[in-house]
């Protein structure tokens, strides 16, 4: 535990000294939330809009829709980009080798990264909620516990996906490219940018298979008081397990 | 005395590339053991296998009677490592790094003490990225000692250090040995190997081609000794009759004799017997570098 604590504190300091990761992880989702909210507004009439036989904004206003969805975006950005880029970079530079030679266990390396990620998510959720509430009079989470559970499960899922990417991808440069590609394609079709109702049906069905879609629901449902998205949480958990096992099994230190 | 390390027939390949073909040696407690060889000889691979950082393809490895492949965690508590090609996160500061690594040590050394000993005082709050090569090296050496190891592996100890820091580092390594730590030193610097090591394994092409003390290595090869002096005496043919003398050449007063064995003593005795007492009589002893050259047929690269 002493080692985990020391590693986590070190990682927090490193994270705060890295302007790029803060910009991407916190500012990008916030900016997108504000832009999308500005475009679609906070009109109560919009809440009942229907397209392709689906409630476009899930029965809430676009602002509320994007506030909760953007929390999921923070988690996806960290899991698909920051985490694999960091870990692949650590391996490439010989940092992992250095840590390993000094008896630093793999779980400490991972869990310190995940703890920093989780703290970022909590901070991001709070910032997102407050900004939306202040600027757009958006709703605060109806069921904060449900949101926290969804964020935790989402951290596990995207954390495991990030570790898997870091395991599969050799270099940090490749991790950047692949991470960026995965992130933006998920972001575009999982309901975090255009609502899924406006997607062609094939794309909509496909996005059903992606973890970000389920994370968006898992965070939105308790946020709006729709109850917990049990199916979403179950799919996320399945993704977490399916990714974590090969990630830990095949993890390479150098 | 019990062996701290024993290696028998170590083999390691990376794909089709054989890095270590057949390496055997043992290291006794309290000695400074050198592994000397050109780049790509298999030195680093050998010590990385011993530290459990790589899996050997064949052979028997024992460190403190532990198997580095399966008892890695127990082993790592007792060893210190300074690795080649390793790094720290760019924005991590020197003191933070030492404190972080100390948190994983069972018997940590006070980071302040390490900062003082390895002259990192001025860099304490500097980020790893901003350190010079020599400062990084000193930090890595300090990290190797953070868990008060009984055995320390130093891979290219003085890489990137300026001559003064090199000397200082050598003295500190000797001091550490005096305190009972066993040292395994991987190097391609001849002077370093000669100055520091009690025994040396010369590795080339993935094999140990010689294993002895630096002096033993030189002696066993019967390398030529060069004796020089100056004299105005015309006839020195009586010196050429000495059995140890292979060749005598002179340029005016300056005389150079090549021979093998105790050349200096015998030449000196003969000179005195002939009433010649040159003030500048001296011998250039062969060095580890000459031995290495004779053994591998090549100069060290890099």
């Amino acid at each position: 535990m002493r080692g985990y604590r020391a590693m986590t504190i070190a990682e927090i300091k490193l994270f705060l000294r890295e302007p790029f990761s803060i910009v991407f992880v916190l500012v990008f989702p916030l900016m997108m939330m504000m832009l999308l909210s500005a475009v679609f507004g906070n009109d109560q009439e919009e809440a009942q809009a229907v397209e392709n036989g689906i409630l476009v904004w899930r029965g809430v206003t676009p602002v509320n829709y994007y506030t909760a969805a953007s929390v999921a975006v923070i988690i996806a950005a960290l899991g698909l980009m920051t985490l694999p880029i960091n870990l692949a970079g650590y391996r490439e530079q010989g940092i992992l080798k250095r840590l390993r030679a000094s008896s630093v266990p793999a779980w400490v390396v991972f869990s310190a990264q995940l703890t920093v990620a989780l703290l970022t998510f909590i901070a991001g959720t709070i910032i997102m909620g407050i900004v939306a509430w202040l600027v757009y009079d958006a709703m605060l989470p109806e069921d904060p516990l449900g949101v926290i559970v969804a964020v935790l499960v989402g951290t596990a899922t995207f954390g495991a996906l990030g570790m898997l990417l870091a395991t599969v991808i050799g270099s940090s440069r490749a991790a950047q490219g692949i991470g960026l590609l995965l992130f933006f394609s998920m972001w575009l079709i999982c309901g975090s940018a255009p609502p899924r109702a406006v997607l062609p049906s094939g794309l909509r069905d496909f996005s059903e298979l992606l973890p970000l879609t389920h994370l968006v629901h898992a965070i939105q449902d308790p946020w709006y008081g729709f109850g917990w998205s049990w199916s979403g949480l179950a799919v996320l958990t399945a993704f977490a397990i399916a990714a974590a096992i090969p990630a830990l099994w095949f993890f390479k230190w150098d | 005395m019990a062996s701290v390390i024993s290696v028998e027939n170590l083999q390691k390949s990376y794909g089709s590339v054989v890095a270590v073909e057949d390496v055997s040696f043992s290291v006794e407690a309290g000695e400074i053991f050198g592994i000397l060889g050109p780049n790509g000889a298999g030195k680093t691979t050998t010590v990385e296998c011993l530290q459990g950082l790589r899996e050997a393809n064949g052979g028997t490895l024992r460190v403190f009677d532990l198997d580095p492949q399966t008892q890695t965690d127990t082993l790592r508590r007792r060893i210190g490592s300074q690795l080649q090609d390793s790094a720290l996160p760019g924005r991590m500061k020197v003191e933070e790094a030492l404190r972080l690594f100390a948190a994983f040590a069972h018997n940590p050394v006070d980071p302040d003490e390490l900062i003082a000993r390895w002259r990192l005082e001025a860099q304490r709050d500097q980020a790893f990225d901003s350190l010079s090569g020599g400062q990084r090296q000193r930090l890595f050496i300090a990290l190797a000692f953070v868990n008060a190891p009984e055995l320390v592996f130093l891979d290219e100890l003085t890489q990137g250090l300026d001559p003064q820091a090199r000397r200082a580092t050598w003295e500190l390594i000797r001091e550490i040995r005096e305190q009972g730590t066993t040292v395994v030193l991987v190097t391609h610097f001849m002077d370093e190997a000669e100055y520091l090591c009690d025994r040396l394994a010369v590795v080339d092409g993935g094999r140990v081609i010689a294993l002895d003390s630096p002096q033993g290595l030189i002696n066993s090869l019967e390398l030529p000794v060069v004796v020089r002096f100056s004299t105005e005496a015309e006839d020195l043919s009586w010196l050429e009759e000495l059995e140890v003398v292979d060749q005598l050449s002179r340029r005016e007063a300056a005389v150079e004799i090549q021979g093998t064995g105790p050349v200096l003593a015998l030449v000196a005795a003969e000179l005195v017997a002939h009433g010649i007492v040159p003030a500048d009589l001296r011998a250039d002893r062969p060095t580890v570098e000459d031995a290495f050259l004779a053994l591998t047929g090549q100069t060290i690269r890099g």
Side-chain angles (χ1 to χ4, degrees), chain A residues 2-4 6-8 10-11 13-14 17-19 90 93-105 108 254, chain B residues 48 52-54 76-77 81-89 91-93 96 100-106 108 140 143:
Chain A
R2 188 165 60 111
Y4 163 72
M7 193 78 207
T8 304
E11 286 292 352
K13 287 183 183 164
L14 292 174
R17 287 176 199 153
E18 195 70 66
Y90 273 22
Q93 294 164 271
I95 295 169
L96 287 180
K97 186 170 151 185
R98 181 57 269 177
L99 291 171
R100 183 179 176 216
S102 295
S103 319
V104 180
V108 168
D254 61 12
Chain B
E48 288 189 349
L53 291 168
R54 293 191 186 283
R76 290 219 181 101
R77 276 176 218 160
S81 311
Q82 177 242 317
L83 306 167
Q84 251 194 309
D85 305 322
S86 71
L88 291 172
R91 291 171 202 262
M92 186 173 279
K93 295 175 181 173
E96 286 170 7
L100 173 65
F101 282 77
F104 291 95
H106 277 247
F140 282 133
L143 287 175

Side-chain angles (χ1 to χ4, degrees), chain A residues 27-214:
Chain A
V27 180
F28 174 77
L30 193 63
M31 199 176 77
M32 284 299 129
M33 182 274 283
M34 295 184 75
L35 283 174
L36 292 164
S37 296
V39 172
F40 296 106
N42 199 16
D43 206 334
Q44 268 310 323
E45 281 165 38
E46 281 289 327
Q48 301 310 319
V50 171
E51 191 116 13
N52 296 323
I54 303 168
L55 273 173
V56 178
W57 309 107
R58 305 200 65 212
V60 297
T61 66
V63 164
N64 286 317
Y65 181 91
Y66 282 118
T67 306
S70 299
V71 171
V73 175
I74 305 178
I75 296 175
L78 234 143
L80 298 174
M81 293 188 294
T82 312
L83 199 58
I85 293 169
N86 271 357
L87 285 174
Y90 273 22
R91 179 171 51 221
E92 211 167 35
Q93 294 164 271
I95 295 169
L96 287 180
K97 186 170 151 185
R98 181 57 269 177
L99 291 171
R100 183 179 176 216
S102 295
S103 319
V104 180
W107 72 264
V108 168
V109 176
F110 291 146
S111 53
Q113 296 267 347
L114 287 181
T115 309
V116 176
L118 189 65
L119 292 174
T120 318
F121 302 154
I122 294 169
T125 309
I126 293 171
I127 294 170
M128 195 73 71
I130 290 177
V131 169
W133 177 67
L134 286 176
V135 180
Y136 301 105
D137 194 24
M139 61 206 279
L140 291 173
E142 293 281 326
D143 176 2
L145 180 68
V147 173
I148 290 171
V149 169
V151 167
L152 276 171
V153 174
T155 307
T157 306
F158 280 89
L161 285 171
M163 290 188 305
L164 182 63
L165 286 176
T167 300
V168 175
I169 302 168
S171 72
S172 62
R173 208 170 271 274
Q176 261 174 46
I178 295 171
L180 218 62
L181 187 76
L182 283 175
F183 171 76
F184 276 108
S185 40
M186 281 202 208
W187 180 67
L188 279 170
I189 63 174
C190 290
S192 37
R196 287 173 68 240
V198 307
L199 297 178
S201 65
L203 214 50
R204 186 162 55 239
D205 291 343
F206 175 65
S207 72
E208 197 73 48
L209 303 172
L210 299 173
L212 184 57
T213 305
H214 297 278

